[in-house]
Amino acid sequence: NTVYWRPPGNRKPMQSETAACLPFLKRHIELVSPKVLLFLGAAASAALLGRSEGITRLRGRWLVYDGANGPIPALPTFHPAYLLRSPGQKRETWRDLLLLQERMRELGLART
């Protein structure tokens, strides 16, 4: 998530809320120094990739997160809460997870 609290009424975080948390989120990513990132949902994808396309257009494609430690491959996919409301999208998310597994194997991060 891009904010560290649940917005009232479980609404989408406002830009000001995301902006307040973004430096902390970016620092967290910098400290962890991951080899790959999986963005769950439109809010995370938009905030961290700076892209305006919807998650349906972004998902399933490897993009690049420009982190403080250099570029990191990033894969956007649907948010789990969305999948609870739209179970028909689970098939697409499964394909995304297989892409993630393949990339992790290429990087030596997953078992073959």
Side-chain angles (χ1 to χ4, degrees), residues 55-78:
I55 190 64
T56 304
R57 288 186 181 219
L58 289 175
R59 63 140 296 275
R61 295 187 298 146
W62 283 102
L63 302 171
V64 176
Y65 169 75
D66 291 317
N69 298 333
I72 303 170
L75 182 65
T77 193
F78 294 120

Side-chain angles (χ1 to χ4, degrees), residues 1 5-6 10 21 29-30 32 37 39 42 48 51 54-56 59 61-62 64 83 89-91 105 107 109:
N1 291 326
W5 61 86
R6 184 181 302 258
N10 202 26
C21 294
I29 293 170
E30 180 184 349
V32 173
L37 290 167
F39 294 146
L48 292 166
R51 305 285 294 254
I55 190 64
T56 304
R59 63 140 296 275
R61 295 187 298 146
W62 283 102
V64 176
L83 296 175
Q89 297 298 327
K90 289 180 182 179
R91 179 182 306 268
R105 283 184 178 148
L107 296 171
L109 303 172

Side-chain angles (χ1 to χ4, degrees), residues 11 72 84:
R11 64 167 165 70
I72 303 170
L84 290 174

